[in-house]
Amino acid sequence: MKFKAVLFDVDGTLVDSLGDLADSMNITLNRFGFPVHEPEEYKYFVGDGMENLVRRALPDGERHVEAVVRKCLLSMRSEYAIRWKTKTRPYGGIPALLDSLTHLGIRMAILSNKPDDFTRQVVSELLPRWRFEQVVGERPPIPRKPDPTSALWIAGICKIPPADFLYVGDTGTDMRTANAAGMYAVGVLWGFREADELLMSGARVLIKSPSELITLL
C-alpha cells in the first residue's frame, strides 16, 4: 500500500476534547434546568456536529423541541468558546506521528464535524507546528460527515486521488465517510468509540497507537 496523504478527524483522533465539550454542555443543561451527564456519556453524544450533541444531551421530551434546541445550541457555542482549550490537548504520540508524516513527505488535511470556526481554532492553537493542506469543519449548507462531499473536495484541492488517502478517525461516522469517499478507513482505538462500532461501519484496519499509522505507509 502506497498512500500519499492522510485525512484526519479532530476530536477523539488528534485531540482529547471530551472534558471541555462535556463541561460546556453540562453548564448549558444546568442553566436551563435539565439533568447533566457524566463525561464518559459524551463519548456517544459527540461526532455528528454540535447540534446533534445538544439534541442527544437533552431529555427525551425536549430534544425535538426546536426552540429549546436553538437556545441550548447558542448557549453551548458560547460556553465552548470560553473553555474549549481548558482541558483539550493532543493525544500522546500525536506530535511524533505528525513529525514522522511530515518527514516522509505525506500530505495532511483535517475534516471535522465540529463547527468550522472551532475546528480552525483548535488546529491553529494546539497543532501549530504542522502544515495541513486544508482544515475543514462543519460549514452549512454543505452536508456534514458521513456525506463524502467535503472529503472529496479536499482530495480535489490537493490533486490527490481519494484512493491515495488514509482516512483516520475514531467513530463510525468517520469510517462511513472514508468508504463513501473511496478512501482507506483507519479506525483509532484511543478515541471515543469501541472497535465493534468501527468495524461494523467499515474500518479497514484498527490501530491502538498513533505510531502504528506509519506501518501502513
Side-chain angles (χ1 to χ4, degrees):
M1 296 181 288
K2 289 189 176 181
F3 297 99
K4 297 177 181 177
V6 179
L7 182 56
F8 287 104
D9 174 49
V10 176
D11 297 308
T13 301
L14 292 176
V15 302
D16 184 355
S17 55
L18 195 68
D20 290 329
L21 288 165
D23 289 347
S24 300
M25 191 67 226
N26 277 341
I27 289 170
T28 291
L29 292 170
N30 187 63
R31 172 173 294 138
F32 295 112
F34 299 129
V36 300
H37 304 278
E38 293 297 322
E40 284 293 302
E41 295 180 71
Y42 282 92
K43 288 184 175 181
Y44 300 94
F45 296 165
V46 302
D48 293 302
M50 191 168 283
E51 181 177 331
N52 281 322
L53 163 60
V54 170
R55 290 184 188 275
R56 291 165 182 170
L58 284 168
D60 289 346
E62 304 289 346
R63 61 184 54 153
H64 299 297
V65 180
E66 294 306 315
V68 173
V69 173
R70 296 274 80 78
K71 71 179 182 180
C72 288
L73 181 57
L74 286 172
S75 175
M76 171 61 183
R77 280 192 59 94
S78 177
E79 293 299 331
Y80 191 61
I82 294 169
R83 60 181 48 79
W84 69 267
K85 61 176 179 179
T86 301
K87 298 176 180 177
T88 299
R89 298 290 184 273
Y91 284 102
I94 290 298
L97 169 63
L98 299 179
D99 283 342
S100 295
L101 293 172
T102 300
H103 177 73
L104 291 170
I106 301 296
R107 294 164 71 185
M108 300 182 291
I110 284 175
L111 175 60
S112 176
N113 273 343
K114 183 193 289 290
D116 190 65
D117 54 343
F118 287 131
T119 299
R120 293 176 180 276
Q121 195 169 23
V122 167
V123 174
S124 66
E125 295 194 34
L126 297 185
L127 301 169
R129 288 173 34 206
W130 299 279
R131 181 177 186 272
F132 297 97
E133 303 279 333
Q134 295 291 325
V135 177
V136 177
E138 184 183 15
R139 304 171 298 165
I142 300 170
R144 68 174 71 93
K145 301 183 293 184
D147 185 282
T149 298
S150 289
L152 292 171
W153 180 81
I154 289 170
I157 291 292
C158 293
K159 295 182 170 58
I160 297 175
D164 291 341
F165 273 83
L166 291 176
Y167 188 111
V168 183
D170 70 304
T171 70
T173 295
D174 291 313
M175 301 302 97
R176 292 192 294 275
T177 305
N179 283 290
M183 298 177 178
Y184 192 87
V186 181
V188 308
L189 297 178
W190 59 80
F192 298 158
R193 303 292 174 81
E194 304 296 327
D196 286 350
E197 176 183 328
L198 297 170
L199 291 170
M200 289 177 64
S201 300
R204 300 284 296 277
V205 65
L206 302 179
I207 58 175
K208 295 180 180 179
S209 68
S211 62
E212 291 182 46
L213 188 68
I214 299 301
T215 65
L216 301 177
L217 299 167

